[in-house]
């Protein structure tokens, strides 16, 4: 692959921000690629208030960033960003060269993110979430962070990441996304995280099958490889 001609847009998932892709971004750039990262509303340095943090707000942000770029992009999404990027692809398919999903939830059969996680009997996320009184946001305790979210990360990696995590707005988890030929026509790849405790390997494989994703790769990490094994993730993205 001649990476001098490739532009990757990396979209983070729940609780995280552009910061989570810093080392992966640097490794991709070292290959000659152009890499764009940014904070979704209410994440990282973006101070959007929880009531305004919606799936549509995320989608609008990604479209805004892609429209700054003259050429087609390879749109990469982690976790929740699978739903975000799918809706982006529905809106601007001509701007997307390829979709790459990293241990991501993908819309299918009118299911929401919550539906996908609920049906995954191996997932350990939902039963461990701590909700705000009005259920508008969710977080996890330290034990869940270590054993479920960052189950493959080192203590130093966890200590560096944990202070940057934010409360996660729950609205995006309950919004179905409908796909059409716009989404289906775009080449896709899926990177399975084999030790994932948020969306199990079996659930990831099911999404690959039901969404008819052409390319499948695996990385032997937990749910957040950009924290646990960022250089390996970069190499796997380049391979996808």
């Amino acid at each position: 692959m001649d990476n001098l001609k490739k532009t990757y847009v990396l979209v983070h998932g729940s609780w995280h921000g552009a910061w989570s892709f810093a080392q992966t971004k640097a490794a991709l750039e070292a290959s000659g690629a152009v890499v764009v990262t940014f904070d979704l509303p209410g994440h990282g340095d973006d101070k959007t208030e929880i009531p305004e943090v919606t799936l549509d707000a995320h989608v609008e942000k990604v479209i805004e960033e892609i429209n700054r770029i003259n050429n087609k992009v390879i749109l990469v999404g982690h976790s929740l960003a699978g739903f975000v990027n799918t809706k982006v692809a529905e809106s601007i398919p001509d701007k997307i060269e390829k979709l790459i999903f990293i241990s991501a939830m993908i819309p299918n059969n009118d299911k929401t993110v919550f539906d996908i996680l609920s049906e995954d009997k191996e997932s350990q996320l939902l039963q461990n979430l701590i909700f705000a009184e009005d259920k508008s946001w969710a977080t996890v305790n330290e034990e869940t962070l270590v054993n479920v979210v960052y189950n493959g990360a080192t203590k130093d990696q966890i200590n560096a990441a944990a202070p940057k995590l934010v409360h996660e707005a729950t609205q995006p988890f309950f919004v179905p996304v409908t796909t059409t030929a716009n989404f289906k026509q775009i080449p896709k790849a899926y990177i399975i995280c084999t030790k994932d405790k948020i969306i199990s390997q079996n659930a990831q494989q099911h999404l690959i099958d039901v969404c008819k994703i052409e390319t499948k790769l695996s990385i032997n990490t937990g749910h957040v490889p950009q924290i646990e094994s960022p250089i390996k993730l970069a190499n796997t993205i380049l391979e996808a």
Side-chain angles (χ1 to χ4, degrees), residues 196-234:
D196 200 323
K197 293 184 177 182
I198 288 181
I199 177 169
S200 69
Q201 184 172 348
N202 286 331
Q204 294 173 67
Q205 181 62 56
H206 175 71
L207 289 173
I208 290 168
D209 293 340
V210 75
C211 298
K212 297 180 171 58
I213 295 178
E214 302 89 351
T215 302
K216 178 180 74 172
L217 302 98
S218 295
I219 184 169
N220 192 30
T221 69
H223 184 66
V224 196
Q226 61 267 42
I227 298 297
E228 179 182 338
S229 191
I231 309 306
K232 175 64 174 176
L233 176 60

Side-chain angles (χ1 to χ4, degrees), residues 32-44:
V34 174
V35 185
V36 176
T37 60
F38 47 86
D39 294 324
L40 292 175
H43 295 75

Side-chain angles (χ1 to χ4, degrees), residues 62-147:
V62 178
I63 291 174
E64 174 187 321
E65 294 292 335
I66 291 175
N67 282 338
R68 299 179 193 271
I69 301 166
N70 291 328
N71 51 296
K72 284 191 171 186
V73 306
I74 298 172
L75 184 57
V76 183
H78 174 243
S79 193
L80 175 67
F83 263 62
V84 176
N85 288 0
T86 296
K87 195 164 185 181
V88 169
E90 278 291 329
S91 298
I92 52 168
D94 293 344
K95 291 284 290 185
I96 313 300
E97 177 181 342
K98 179 186 285 187
L99 289 162
I100 300 177
F101 300 97
I102 306 167
S103 201
M105 301 81 179
I106 307 175
N108 67 93
N109 298 317
D110 294 322
K111 293 177 183 177
T112 65
V113 171
F114 180 82
D115 293 332
I116 292 170
L117 293 175
S118 296
E119 292 173 4
D120 181 5
K121 301 309 178 186
E122 298 172 78
S123 173
Q124 298 179 32
L125 178 64
L126 294 181
Q127 64 266 40
N128 285 300
L129 288 177
I130 300 167
F131 291 95
E133 187 174 348
D134 65 358
K135 300 293 194 294
S136 65
W137 56 262
T139 187
V140 297
N141 64 23
E142 183 177 354
E143 181 181 0
T144 301
L145 187 65
V146 171
N147 295 324

